[in-house]
Amino acid sequence: MDLTNVDEVGVSPQNEHRVLISWRRADGWSSFACVDRGSGYVAPEDVLWWLLRQGAQLELVRPALAAAYPDFDVDAEVDHVTMPDRAEKRAKDEQRRRDARADFKRARRQR
C-alpha cells in the first residue's frame, strides 16, 4: 500500500484488537483493518508506524491519532524511536554543565 499521496487519514479503533485505518485520495476513500493477532491489542504505536511505513505524512497522521487516542503523544513516540539517546544525551549535558559550574565556583572561591 502506498499512502504517499493521500489527502486525509482516519483512525477508528473498533475494539482492543482491531483498528480501522482509512485514507482519502482523489478517487475516494479506502480502508484497512489492522488486527493484532499476537498480543491481542493494537497499540497506537503500531498504527503510527504502520501508517508511516506506508508513506503517510506525519502531518496527516498526527490529527488522526490524536482523535482516536487522545492520550497518545505522536511526537514523543517518534522521538523515542528515531532518537532514543536524545534524553540520555540531554541528561549528560546537564550534568556536565552542573559540574563545570561547580568547578568554576570552587576555583573562584580559592582565589
Side-chain angles (χ1 to χ4, degrees), residues 15 23 32 42 45 50 52 65 70 77 97:
N15 54 45
W23 57 90
F32 172 78
V42 178
E45 297 89 353
W50 184 87
L52 294 179
L65 285 171
E77 173 63 15
R97 286 186 188 107

Side-chain angles (χ1 to χ4, degrees), residues 52-66:
L52 294 179
R53 278 193 304 273
Q54 305 312 313
Q57 295 176 23
L58 186 58
E59 293 76 29
L60 298 175
V61 172
R62 192 180 286 119
L65 285 171

Side-chain angles (χ1 to χ4, degrees), residues 3-74:
L3 301 181
T4 54
N5 295 319
V6 300
D7 300 320
E8 187 176 346
V9 173
V11 176
S12 177
Q14 306 293 296
N15 54 45
E16 67 181 27
H17 63 272
R18 179 185 164 96
V19 174
L20 187 64
I21 302 170
S22 305
W23 57 90
R24 182 173 53 95
R25 293 184 192 182
D27 60 346
W29 283 91
S30 299
S31 61
F32 172 78
C34 183
V35 179
D36 187 87
R37 298 178 196 275
S39 66
Y41 172 70
V42 178
E45 297 89 353
D46 299 335
V47 177
L48 168 65
W49 293 110
W50 184 87
L51 284 163
L52 294 179
R53 278 193 304 273
Q54 305 312 313
Q57 295 176 23
L58 186 58
E59 293 76 29
L60 298 175
V61 172
R62 192 180 286 119
L65 285 171
Y69 303 101
D71 295 331
F72 179 65
D73 186 343
V74 171

